[in-house]
C-alpha cells in the first residue's frame, strides 16, 4: 500500500488509533481464551502460522508489495523475533494469574523501561515532567499491588518479564524498520517465519501438542478464531505504528488505551474485588500514564516532525 507525503499525518493517526483498538481488544480476547484454554504457547504458534500463510497468500495475489524471504534480512531480525515471542509468551502466562486492571498497570511500566534503555543508549536524559510521570506510574503499580487480594507472585513475575522483552522488542523494531528499509508487513512476515521452528519445537517438547487440540466446543472455536484474527491485526498495527511514528509513540498509545481497558476490566471476565488501596493505586498509575503521554506530546512539539513518504520504505 502506498501513501504520499500529504497523507502521512493521517497515516500516523490511523496507525496509532488502530493499534490502540487492537491492543485493547486483544487483552480481553486472550483473557477469555485462557480462562478455558491453558495452552498459551499453542495459541501463539497458531497465530504465527496464520500470519505467515496470509502474508504469503497476499504476495501471491498481489495484495502487498512485501518482498520475498532474504537470508541477510532474516539474520538481522532474529533478535526481533526472539524478543517478540518472549514478550507475548510471558504476557499470556501472566494473564492466567493476574486480573486485567493489574496486568495493564504493570504493562504501563514499559515507557519507563524504554526511557532507561534510551538513556543508556545515548538518547539523553528525559525531561523533569517525563521523569516524574514515570515515577508516578511505577508508584501506582506498587500501591495497587498492595491492595490486590488476588495477588499472584508467578503472574506478576511473568508480567514484569514481559515488560522487559516488550521494551527490547519495540526498540529493535524501530531500528530495523527505519534503518534497514523494511515495511511493517515484511517485519511481521520475518517475525512469524523465524519464530515458527522454535515454537513448534517448544509445544512438542513440553507436551502441549497434541493435547492442546482436544478442545472442540463451539464457544472455544469462536474465541480461538477471534484470537487468531486479532493476533494478526495486533501484529500488523504494532509494527505499523512503530515504523510510521516511533517506539515511544507505540508505548504512549498503549498507556492511553489502558484507561478504557482498566475500567472495563473491573466488570468483565470475572471482574476485580474492589479495595480502596487497589483502586487508589490504579488511579495513580493511570494518571501517571496520561501525564507521561502529555509530557511526551509537549516535548515532541518542540522537535521537527518526522517525514515519511511511504510505508513501504525502499531498501537503501
Amino acid at each position: 500500500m502506498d501513501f504520499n507525503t500529504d497523507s502521512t499525518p493521517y497515516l500516523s493517526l490511523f496507525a496509532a488509533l488502530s493499534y490502540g483498538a487492537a491492543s485493547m481488544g486483544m487483552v480481553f480476547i486472550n483473557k477469555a481464551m485462557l480462562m478455558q484454554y491453558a495452552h498459551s504457547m499453542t495459541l501463539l504458534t497458531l497465530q504465527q502460522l496464520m500470519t505467515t500463510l496470509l502474508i504469503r497468500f497476499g504476495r501471491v495475489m498481489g495484495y502487498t508489495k512485501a518482498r520475498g524471504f532474504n537470508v541477510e534480512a532474516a539474520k538481522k531480525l532474529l533478535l526481533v523475533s526472539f524478543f517478540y515471542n518472549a514478550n507475548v509468551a510471558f504476557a499470556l502466562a501472566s494473564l492466567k494469574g493476574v486480573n486485567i486492571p493489574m496486568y495493564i498497570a504493570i504493562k504501563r511500566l514499559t515507557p519507563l523501561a524504554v526511557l532507561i534503555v534510551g538513556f543508556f543508549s545515548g538518547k539523553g536524559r528525559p525531561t523533569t515532567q517525563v521523569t516524574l510521570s514515570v515515577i508516578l506510574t511505577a508508584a501506582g503499580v506498587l500501591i495497587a499491588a498492595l491492595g490486590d487480594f488476588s495477588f499472584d507472585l508467578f503472574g506478576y513475575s511473568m508480567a514484569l518479564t514481559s515488560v522487559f522483552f516488550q521494551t527490547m522488542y519495540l526498540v529493535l523494531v524501530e531500528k530495523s524498520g527505519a534503518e534497514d528499509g523494511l515495511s511493517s508487513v515484511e517485519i511481521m512476515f520475518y517475525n512469524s517465519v523465524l519464530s515458527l521452528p522454535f515454537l513448534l519445537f517448544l509445544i512438542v517438547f513440553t507436551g502441549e501438542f497434541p493435547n492442546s487440540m482436544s478442545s472442540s466446543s463451539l464457544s472455544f472455536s469462536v474465541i480461538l478464531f477471534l484470537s487468531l484474527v486479532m493476533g494478526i491485526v495486533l501484529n500488523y498495527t504494532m509494527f505499523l505504528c512503530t515504523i510510521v511514528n516511533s517506539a515511544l509513540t507505540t508505548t504512549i498509545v498503549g498507556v492511553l488505551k489502558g484507561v478504557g481497558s482498566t475500567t472495563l476490566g473491573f466488570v468483565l471476565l470475572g471482574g476485580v474485588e474492589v479495595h480502596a488501596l487497589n483502586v487508589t493505586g490504579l488511579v495513580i498509575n493511570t494518571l501517571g500514564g496520561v501525564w507521561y503521554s502529555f509530557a511526551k506530546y509537549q516535548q515532541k512539539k518542540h522537535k521537527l516532525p518526522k517525514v515519511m513518504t511511504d510505508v513501504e520504505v525502499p531498501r537503501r
Side-chain angles (χ1 to χ4, degrees):
M1 185 179 295
D2 297 327
F3 298 87
N4 56 36
T5 307
D6 294 335
S7 67
T8 299
Y10 299 101
L11 174 61
S12 299
L13 180 61
F14 169 77
L17 292 178
S18 59
Y19 168 62
S23 182
M24 181 185 295
M26 194 63 182
V27 172
F28 287 95
I29 291 175
N30 278 339
K31 181 69 174 180
M33 184 75 182
L34 293 172
M35 287 175 68
Q36 57 177 304
Y37 186 73
H39 307 292
S40 58
M41 294 306 299
T42 301
L43 175 61
L44 178 57
T45 303
L46 290 173
Q47 288 176 348
Q48 297 292 50
L49 178 60
M50 185 67 70
T51 300
T52 302
L53 294 176
L54 282 178
I55 295 178
R56 175 63 180 170
F57 175 77
R59 286 188 64 247
V60 172
M61 299 300 295
Y63 296 144
T64 175
K65 294 180 180 179
R67 290 157 292 193
F69 191 84
N70 179 275
V71 176
E72 291 302 316
K75 290 179 180 178
K76 295 178 181 178
L77 289 172
L78 273 174
L79 276 179
V80 171
S81 178
F82 169 77
F83 285 125
Y84 169 82
N85 286 283
N87 166 42
V88 176
F90 280 101
L92 288 173
S94 71
L95 278 173
K96 296 178 182 179
V98 178
N99 59 64
I100 289 179
M102 280 308 306
Y103 168 80
I104 294 170
I106 294 173
K107 294 293 281 185
R108 284 199 188 106
L109 295 176
T110 303
L112 171 62
V114 169
L115 287 177
I116 292 174
V117 172
F119 175 76
F120 285 105
S121 62
K123 287 190 175 182
R125 182 173 299 177
T127 64
T128 301
Q129 280 204 63
V130 169
T131 301
L132 292 177
S133 65
V134 296
I135 291 175
L136 187 65
T137 302
V141 172
L142 293 176
I143 296 172
L146 292 174
D148 184 10
F149 288 143
S150 61
F151 180 85
D152 185 295
L153 180 59
F154 176 79
Y156 273 65
S157 300
M158 294 298 99
L160 289 171
T161 306
S162 174
V163 168
F164 166 76
F165 283 117
Q166 184 180 14
T167 299
M168 301 307 298
Y169 158 73
L170 286 172
V171 172
L172 283 173
V173 165
E174 183 178 16
K175 184 176 185 297
S176 62
E179 294 186 5
D180 297 336
L182 294 172
S183 71
S184 55
V185 174
E186 287 169 340
I187 295 179
M188 186 166 62
F189 176 71
Y190 280 108
N191 177 63
S192 299
V193 171
L194 292 172
S195 64
L196 277 175
F198 172 73
L199 291 174
L200 289 171
F201 168 79
L202 196 60
I203 62 174
V204 172
F205 180 78
T206 58
E208 275 202 20
F209 183 85
N211 296 331
S212 55
M213 297 292 104
S214 59
S215 300
S216 58
S217 66
L218 178 60
S219 61
F220 167 78
S221 299
V222 171
I223 296 176
L224 175 60
F225 175 76
L226 289 175
S227 179
L228 292 176
V229 172
M230 287 301 298
I232 295 171
V233 173
L234 178 60
N235 283 348
Y236 177 75
T237 55
M238 180 182 291
F239 284 123
L240 182 66
C241 185
T242 304
I243 292 175
V244 173
N245 298 300
S246 67
L248 189 57
T249 300
T250 303
T251 60
I252 291 174
V253 173
V255 168
L256 292 179
K257 64 88 184 174
V259 177
S261 298
T262 299
T263 304
L264 292 174
F266 274 98
V267 295
L268 295 179
L269 302 177
V272 180
E273 187 176 351
V274 179
H275 183 277
L277 198 59
N278 184 247
V279 173
T280 300
L282 289 172
V283 170
I284 292 175
N285 175 268
T286 301
L287 290 176
V290 173
W291 184 13
Y292 170 82
S293 301
F294 175 76
K296 294 308 298 183
Y297 172 75
Q298 291 292 103
Q299 182 178 330
K300 192 174 182 180
K301 284 206 315 183
H302 294 86
K303 296 181 179 179
L304 290 175
K306 179 180 179 180
V307 177
M308 182 175 181
T309 60
D310 197 327
V311 174
E312 304 282 348
V313 185
R315 186 182 297 276
R316 292 182 296 183

